[in-house]
Amino acid sequence: DVLTMPWGEDYIWQLPMGTPQMNSINLDMFRAGIRGKPNGKIMYYVMPHMPGNIPEMWRRLWYSAMGHGAKHFNLFEFHPVWTAYTENHCTGKEMYGMILKTFREYGTFEDIIQTGQVRQALAALWFSETADKFNDYANSGGAAKRGLYIAILHQQIPLDFVVDQDAADGTLNQYKVLYLTDRHVSKASSEKIAAWVKNGGILFATAGAGQFDENNQPNTALRELLGVSETKFDAPAEAVVGFIKQDLLFVPPVDTVTETASKEKLPVFGVVSRVQTKPDVAVSGTFTDGSPAMATRTVGKGAVIYCGFLPSLTYFQPAIPRKPLDRGTTPDAMAHYLPVNFDKRVGFLIGAPMLAANQGGVRELRPVTVSVPLVEATVIESKAGTAITFTNWTNTPVKGLQVTANIPVPTKQVTLSTGKPVKVEKAVGKTVF
């Protein structure tokens, strides 16, 4: 989560308010902005403020930013307190040591980063100005969308962002899975999304997604596609989640979902979308009043999955400790705390579209898989070679990580950025490191 406030005319001040992994959501938005422009380069702040940041978190953020498309890095401002011209100084010698170590590593593969591109994903998350105009990120919508972004990455599914222009010009057709959270979607984009599903796309929609158009009228195209029509949108004021770390453990659940097959119960947070379903919709979960909470529908060659709640908040809830949001300078401070105990049941639900798409043998949905789920891997491809970056979002070191490349990768010379060797094996047409 990032709280962004204008500061004068030339600066943006960003305060960490949630899990550090959410920082990369900005970069993926920037990548959508330079899509089709191979010479476009993103400059990104990776700030080593100390006191404030800590060396191991700065290192995570550096590699994460690189993996999500940054090519120019700004250390604003990299001065000790006695020479700094703002309050954002770097005074701890431990941070200087970490930056020196990381820069030396970066020099061993900088040619790949500067000439390469993040490999295009086959799953996408929808963004649009229509949702911005109607403030769809209020009533827990913003926190839930950012949380969904992280939950998708935790399924080891690379993710791109798509916007209205991508639906209009056919870019959407390059993707196999689309995640939709926005309550308002334009008529033109709705028709494109519906056609995409009929041609084989898998659409995953959360509470209230696609129920209204750019005129705030019922969205007939997406209601027909999803097979659900919203009758009520419950967003109690006392249950709003503005920021996950700050609010989620201090608000009551708004309802409970009972899964039809397993009879397991899931608490839901923030909002509930009450809907009516078409006869051909398969209901796989219900709220306490018996109304549909989870539903699926086959449409043409594709399918839709609808959740009448915000699954990412349920996913995050057991992983967030109930304590104040302090901004201390230790790994235990909430500003740097890494949640790890997520609800795996909901993680499986969020990853379900990938399984559905994979029935067609699309293994590139997961171009790289790793043996530890919370280690994020991203692939950058260049004529100079391939760089796979890893970011450990757990609280402990990971030894003996096994990495499986499900796509062709060069193996003539393989090393870690530290220069240490890597064991390489071939297994069933895949490369295992």
Side-chain angles (χ1 to χ4, degrees):
D1 298 6
V2 172
L3 175 64
T4 302
M5 301 186 295
W7 185 30
E9 297 181 353
D10 302 316
Y11 299 95
I12 293 295
W13 183 21
Q14 296 181 324
L15 302 177
M17 295 288 283
T19 65
Q21 192 175 6
M22 288 181 182
N23 197 44
S24 57
I25 197 170
N26 299 319
L27 280 150
D28 289 333
M29 179 63 78
F30 294 154
R31 284 199 300 115
I34 60 172
R35 179 179 288 116
K37 301 176 182 178
N39 294 324
K41 293 190 176 184
I42 300 169
M43 187 202 79
Y44 202 62
Y45 284 153
V46 187
M47 301 181 182
H49 303 162
M50 193 173 184
N53 208 340
I54 55 178
E56 56 266 40
M57 188 58 72
W58 178 87
R59 181 176 171 84
R60 286 188 183 96
L61 294 174
W62 169 274
Y63 271 99
S64 178
M66 186 187 304
H68 287 267
K71 294 182 184 292
H72 295 173
F73 300 90
N74 193 321
L75 299 183
F76 180 87
E77 73 175 285
F78 197 39
H79 300 255
V81 65
W82 50 87
T83 63
Y85 51 92
T86 75
E87 77 283 8
N88 302 311
H89 55 84
C90 180
T91 308
K93 63 181 181 181
E94 300 88 352
M95 186 67 81
Y96 284 89
M98 179 62 78
I99 292 173
L100 177 60
K101 170 187 174 181
T102 304
F103 274 31
R104 284 174 171 169
E105 293 175 0
Y106 178 50
T108 67
F109 61 98
E110 184 180 11
D111 56 335
I112 297 176
I113 300 300
Q114 292 300 323
T115 62
Q117 301 292 330
V118 177
R119 181 181 177 87
Q120 180 179 315
L122 293 181
L125 180 60
W126 180 266
F127 282 83
S128 74
E129 292 183 12
T130 305
D132 292 338
K133 291 174 181 176
F134 286 97
N135 198 21
D136 285 355
Y137 303 128
N139 294 323
S140 307
K145 189 166 189 173
R146 296 187 295 269
L148 181 64
Y149 167 78
I150 297 303
I152 296 168
L153 296 183
H154 284 177
Q155 305 307 305
Q156 300 188 20
I157 303 174
L159 191 66
D160 289 346
F161 292 171
V162 296
V163 297
D164 290 287
Q165 180 62 34
D166 299 318
D169 66 14
T171 300
L172 176 61
N173 297 329
Q174 300 174 17
Y175 295 90
K176 303 296 182 183
V177 174
L178 178 65
Y179 289 86
L180 177 66
T181 68
D182 298 352
R183 298 190 70 212
H184 293 81
V185 181
S186 70
K187 294 178 182 178
S189 292
S190 299
E191 293 172 356
K192 295 292 185 179
I193 292 172
W196 170 82
V197 171
K198 292 175 184 177
N199 286 328
I202 309 295
L203 176 66
F204 185 100
T206 62
Q211 293 298 298
F212 297 92
D213 63 20
E214 70 269 37
N215 298 314
N216 202 31
Q217 297 300 307
N219 190 324
T220 54
L222 287 185
R223 291 189 180 207
E224 172 66 27
L225 176 70
L226 294 166
V228 301
S229 293
E230 186 175 270
T231 59
K232 188 178 181 182
F233 188 77
D234 288 334
E238 69 275 10
V240 170
V241 179
F243 297 104
I244 287 178
K245 279 187 177 179
Q246 174 180 281
D247 302 325
L248 185 53
L249 261 288
F250 296 92
V251 299
V254 292
D255 209 326
T256 300
V257 172
T258 301
E259 294 183 297
T260 304
S262 67
K263 305 302 180 183
E264 289 189 348
K265 297 183 182 298
L266 300 171
V268 298
F269 301 89
V271 304
V272 169
S273 175
R274 311 288 179 183
V275 300
Q276 295 179 338
T277 59
K278 295 173 66 70
D280 62 345
V281 170
V283 176
S284 55
T286 56
F287 293 117
T288 52
D289 64 359
S291 62
M294 297 189 294
T296 58
R297 183 173 187 245
T298 300
V299 183
K301 298 178 182 179
V304 296
I305 302 170
Y306 183 80
C307 294
F309 58 102
L310 302 174
S312 64
L313 298 186
T314 303
Y315 177 73
F316 263 89
Q317 197 268 345
I320 305 297
R322 188 181 178 91
K323 66 178 193 177
L325 185 65
D326 68 295
R327 295 188 176 89
T329 55
T330 67
D332 292 332
M334 280 295 275
H336 302 295
Y337 178 81
L338 295 177
V340 295
N341 297 315
F342 300 94
D343 192 319
K344 295 180 180 179
R345 300 170 299 172
V346 186
F348 180 81
L349 170 65
I350 292 170
M354 183 274 298
L355 296 176
N358 252 4
Q359 291 179 0
V362 188
R363 67 178 186 172
E364 290 84 359
L365 274 170
R366 282 178 168 168
V368 171
T369 52
V370 297
S371 55
V372 177
L374 295 184
V375 174
E376 181 186 355
T378 58
V379 180
I380 297 173
E381 297 173 316
S382 163
K383 292 181 179 179
T386 297
I388 305 176
T389 67
F390 303 100
T391 311
N392 179 9
W393 296 109
T394 74
N395 291 309
T396 57
V398 174
K399 302 294 184 181
L401 185 73
Q402 180 171 297
V403 181
T404 302
N406 301 314
I407 57 174
V409 292
T411 56
K412 183 177 180 180
Q413 181 182 358
V414 181
T415 64
L416 294 176
S417 59
T418 57
K420 295 180 180 179
V422 179
K423 184 179 180 180
V424 184
E425 298 176 347
K426 294 290 185 179
V428 197
K430 302 179 180 180
T431 306
V432 180
F433 304 102

